[in-house]
Amino acid sequence: MAEKSLMARAVELLSRREYSRRELFTRLKPHAADPDEIEAVLAELAERHWQSDERYAQALAQSKQGRWGSTRLAQALRSKGVDRDTIAQALDGVDDLDACRGLWQKKFGEPPADAQEKAKQMRFLAARGFPADVVRKVLAEAGHSRDD
């Protein structure tokens, strides 16, 4: 059976989901003798608009929105090789406050009973990538609703 070309491998990968340029490079590296071959394939894919870091960033932000905050989304995109401007563009429409509120409501639903429970809720939300000021605001709102 003939060995698949780098282009065929790349197209096969992209047919399943979006990939960042760096991810594709890493996936194709074991199948290429020379990194320049991979760069040529990636350049052609980008030229044909079959691979786009912008589209990848938008897809990831959209799929994780509501479960991850902007901090975690930005970190995930940076780890996949997406540049700062593209990350900023992808996260432009992300509303951390609403997402954090929704996640808090789904996970906890009621204000913390004591300082230990409040710390637990804060750690959970912070681990999901929500900025500290957003987490504090959501928990403060929850505390006010309990006092009513």
Side-chain angles (χ1 to χ4, degrees):
M1 187 162 131
E3 188 71 18
K4 285 185 196 173
S5 72
L6 286 177
M7 181 60 85
R9 287 179 190 281
V11 169
E12 188 176 296
L13 289 168
L14 288 169
S15 71
R16 294 188 198 121
R17 72 169 177 92
E18 294 287 344
Y19 281 87
S20 71
R21 185 177 181 96
R22 185 191 292 170
E23 278 184 305
L24 269 180
F25 186 91
T26 304
R27 292 293 210 103
L28 296 174
K29 196 174 183 177
H31 306 287
D34 182 20
D36 292 338
E37 289 178 73
I38 300 171
E39 287 299 332
V41 168
L42 294 177
E44 186 175 343
L45 290 170
E47 187 178 305
R48 292 181 180 187
H49 302 289
W50 291 355
Q51 188 281 322
S52 164
D53 278 355
E54 291 82 12
R55 208 170 45 237
Y56 171 77
Q58 288 291 339
L60 183 74
Q62 202 169 29
S63 72
K64 301 296 184 183
Q65 195 173 3
R67 292 179 301 187
W68 288 4
S70 61
T71 307
R72 186 163 177 195
L73 283 169
Q75 187 276 329
L77 289 168
R78 270 193 308 276
S79 74
K80 300 297 184 183
V82 178
D83 65 84
R84 288 180 191 269
D85 292 338
T86 305
I87 292 171
Q89 191 177 25
L91 298 182
D92 191 31
V94 174
D95 184 4
D96 275 334
L97 189 58
D98 280 346
C100 188
R101 238 186 238 126
L103 186 60
W104 176 84
Q105 187 64 42
K106 185 177 177 182
K107 175 74 175 174
F108 300 105
E110 57 186 52
D114 56 18
Q116 187 176 3
E117 180 64 23
K118 183 176 181 178
K120 177 183 174 184
Q121 290 183 14
M122 288 180 86
R123 280 191 309 273
F124 174 81
L125 294 171
R128 295 303 182 278
F130 295 102
D133 60 324
V134 171
V135 171
R136 282 193 294 274
K137 187 170 185 171
V138 167
L139 289 178
E141 289 172 1
H144 288 298
S145 67
R146 185 169 114 176
D147 296 338
D148 294 345

